[in-house]
Amino acid sequence: MPPLARTALQAPAPPIQHLHPAGLYDSTSNGYTHVVTAEEPLRWLFVSGQGGEDADANLPYSFAQQADQALRNVKTALAAGGACMADVTKLTVLIVDHDLQRFEQWQNSIRQHWGGSGQPPFPACTLIPVPKLALPGMLIEVDAIAAMKAISSSAPMAPAPVARLPVSA
């Protein structure tokens, strides 16, 4: 069983590690990593499911265009929280009427949005085929979890350029 804590003599681990354990197939060609670890102290960011609609709520008919726009929307949401695609540790992807063609189009989109090289480190990812999503014509929805190095409590954090909703007690 692996140790639960590091000893004083061990070097600190990087905040985020992408692991491809022996005994599991190489998932790189499918655009994900089997295991992503995150070491504290971290700041977590949770991005709600993003569809393929643009800022004007236009939703293209093409799955490939929606997949690309959904990842652009994830990038925009991450940036509002001070994160980028490299900070993403986990994606959950919902695809309507999933098939091999849509899977390949998804893989192309994920490679383009993770540096264009198509190489790891990709986040951990779960893809779930679904019969439909929240809006008519919506073919994909992507949510993300990101982990960033914690900001020191003595350093002021710049406010995010987003509207905040009131929280009821």
Side-chain angles (χ1 to χ4, degrees):
M1 174 179 255
L4 296 177
R6 296 185 179 282
T7 66
L9 298 176
Q10 289 177 307
I16 299 174
Q17 292 183 321
H18 297 78
L19 309 175
H20 293 277
L24 297 179
Y25 85 98
D26 182 357
S27 60
T28 304
S29 64
N30 290 328
Y32 74 96
T33 299
H34 284 291
V35 179
V36 177
T37 65
E39 297 287 330
E40 296 292 344
L42 294 171
R43 186 168 65 89
W44 294 93
L45 185 112
F46 300 88
V47 177
S48 294
Q50 299 297 308
E53 65 279 351
D54 64 18
D56 296 321
N58 297 315
L59 189 63
Y61 177 75
S62 157
F63 175 81
Q65 290 174 326
Q66 285 193 32
D68 178 66
Q69 186 63 50
L71 288 172
R72 289 176 190 273
N73 294 344
V74 168
K75 280 184 181 178
T76 298
L78 290 167
C84 66
M85 296 299 246
D87 298 317
V88 175
T89 58
K90 175 75 167 78
L91 291 175
T92 301
V93 182
L94 307 175
I95 295 179
V96 173
D97 298 330
H98 181 269
D99 60 17
L100 185 57
Q101 180 181 9
R102 288 191 175 175
F103 183 63
E104 290 170 353
Q105 290 170 337
W106 166 249
Q107 289 176 327
N108 289 336
S109 289
I110 197 133
R111 284 186 196 100
Q112 289 173 352
H113 287 275
W114 257 265
S117 67
Q119 296 300 311
F122 294 114
C125 182
T126 299
L127 188 154
I128 304 169
V130 296
K132 69 180 191 174
L133 290 166
L135 301 174
M138 195 172 174
L139 301 174
I140 187 168
E141 186 169 349
V142 181
D143 74 35
I145 299 173
M148 293 129 332
K149 193 172 189 176
I151 298 171
S152 167
S153 59
S154 62
M157 182 177 161
V162 295
R164 302 207 188 270
L165 299 174
V167 178
S168 58

